[in-house]
Every structure is written in structure tokens, then in C-alpha cells.
């Protein structure tokens, strides 16, 4: 099986799951992914990266006993950074990545290049999908992909 057919199958499964979860037949418990919570020994430094590279904004956070930072996408706190004493290792972590949908693909790629951030661009148009993914890692090594719809970029 080729890489393209594996990706195509993977994306079709994601779209099928999304379609199933958003149907209005009956009552569905889940309505959206709310946030991602990441442990870090440097919440302020990591928050700086998310602000500079992804355009998220620091915002209000309840006075929990553990220090941290909440990063907002519009009115929603989508990335929660929690202070831990030692830098977390990659072992025993089941989260492989999380993703954002975005607009402004050319500007985003320019931001990555300006900030010397390594990335992998995956064009899924080759397998019939209107999707381009930019795979990056934050300073803690967390895999994030930013998804763009090329046809919307051209409009």
C-alpha cells in the first residue's frame, strides 16, 4: 500500500468519524474538542512560542494551585500549559499530535521560516483532498499539525 493511499484512508476515516459525530440524529454527548493540556517546566517560554508561531493569545486562567498559562483561539482557551518541576519525557505519552485548522498558509510558512522552525509540508491534494498540512514540533517536542484548505486560500 502506498503512502498516499494510507494517508487517503486515514483522512477518510477522520472525515467519517467527524460526520458521524456531527449528525443531528438522536442526542450526541460530545460536541467539540475543548482544549489540549500540556505539561512543561517552562510555561511562559512555551506560551511565547505558541503566541509567536501560532498566533494564540494568553488569557484568563482560574487560580489553580498549580501555576500555568491558558492560550486562547478567539474566546476559547484551547491550549492549557501546566507547570511541572522537570521537563517531561516522551516515554509513556499516548498523544501523538493535535491539529488546528487555519487560514493564511503563505504567511504561516513565512513565519516558520523567519523563526527557523523545522516543518514538513504534506500536500494531500495529490490524493484528491483539499488539504495541506504543516507538521511542526513545539519546543517541548509536541507534534502539531496546522491544516489549510488550499481552495479557500485562493478565494
Amino acid at each position: 500500500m502506498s503512502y498516499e493511499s494510507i494517508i487517503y484512508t486515514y483522512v477518510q476515516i477522520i472525515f467519517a468519524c467527524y460526520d458521524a459525530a456531527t449528525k443531528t440524529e438522536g442526542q450526541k454527548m460530545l460536541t467539540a474538542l475543548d482544549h489540549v493540556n500540556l505539561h512543561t517546566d517552562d510555561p511562559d517560554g512555551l506560551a511565547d512560542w505558541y503566541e509567536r508561531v501560532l498566533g494564540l493569545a494568553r488569557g484568563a486562567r482560574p487560580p489553580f494551585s498549580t501555576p500555568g498559562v491558558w492560550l486562547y483561539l478567539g474566546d476559547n482557551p484551547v491550549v492549557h500549559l501546566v507547570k511541572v518541576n522537570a521537563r517531561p519525557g516522551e516515554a509513556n505519552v499516548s498523544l501523538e499530535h493535535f491539529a488546528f485548522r487555519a487560514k493564511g498558509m503563505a504567511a504561516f510558512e513565512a513565519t516558520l521560516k523567519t523563526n527557523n522552525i523545522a516543518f514538513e509540508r504534506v500536500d494531500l491534494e495529490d490524493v484528491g483532498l483539499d488539504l495541506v498540512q504543516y507538521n511542526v514540533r513545539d519546543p517541548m517536542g509536541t507534534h502539531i499539525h496546522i491544516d489549510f484548505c488550499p481552495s479557500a486560500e485562493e478565494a
Side-chain angles (χ1 to χ4, degrees), residues 93-136:
V93 177
S94 62
L95 176 70
E96 196 286 318
H97 74 271
F98 63 94
F100 290 102
R101 280 173 286 181
K103 297 178 185 175
M105 185 165 49
F108 179 66
E109 185 169 324
T111 296
L112 294 174
K113 289 177 179 177
T114 298
N115 287 281
N116 296 315
I117 297 171
F119 66 91
E120 176 191 17
R121 178 182 164 145
V122 179
D123 292 276
L124 296 174
E125 294 171 295
D126 298 340
V127 293
L129 298 173
D130 189 24
L131 185 65
V132 174
Q133 297 176 333
Y134 283 80
N135 292 277
V136 299

Side-chain angles (χ1 to χ4, degrees), residues 5-144:
S5 61
I6 291 170
I7 293 295
Y8 181 78
T9 301
Y10 168 73
V11 172
Q12 292 301 335
I13 291 169
I14 290 171
F15 286 160
C17 291
Y18 175 79
D19 287 343
T22 57
K23 297 231 185 287
T24 56
E25 310 163 344
Q27 186 176 0
K28 300 292 181 187
M29 181 180 79
L30 300 180
T31 59
L33 177 63
D34 188 69
H35 68 274
V36 175
N37 186 300
L38 302 173
H39 288 182
T40 176
D41 60 342
D42 183 14
D44 286 321
L46 195 55
D48 288 343
W49 187 91
Y50 278 89
E51 288 176 309
R52 186 179 74 252
V53 176
L54 299 184
L56 298 181
R58 292 174 202 235
R61 180 180 184 263
F64 296 120
S65 61
T66 305
V69 175
W70 279 9
L71 296 161
Y72 284 70
L73 177 61
D75 294 333
N76 302 309
V78 296
V79 176
H80 297 182
L81 304 177
V82 176
K83 170 87 168 129
V84 294
N85 291 329
R87 186 181 184 104
E90 291 185 28
N92 301 320
V93 177
S94 62
L95 176 70
E96 196 286 318
H97 74 271
F98 63 94
F100 290 102
R101 280 173 286 181
K103 297 178 185 175
M105 185 165 49
F108 179 66
E109 185 169 324
T111 296
L112 294 174
K113 289 177 179 177
T114 298
N115 287 281
N116 296 315
I117 297 171
F119 66 91
E120 176 191 17
R121 178 182 164 145
V122 179
D123 292 276
L124 296 174
E125 294 171 295
D126 298 340
V127 293
L129 298 173
D130 189 24
L131 185 65
V132 174
Q133 297 176 333
Y134 283 80
N135 292 277
V136 299
R137 292 201 178 266
D138 74 14
M140 295 293 296
T142 306
H143 176 198
I144 307 161

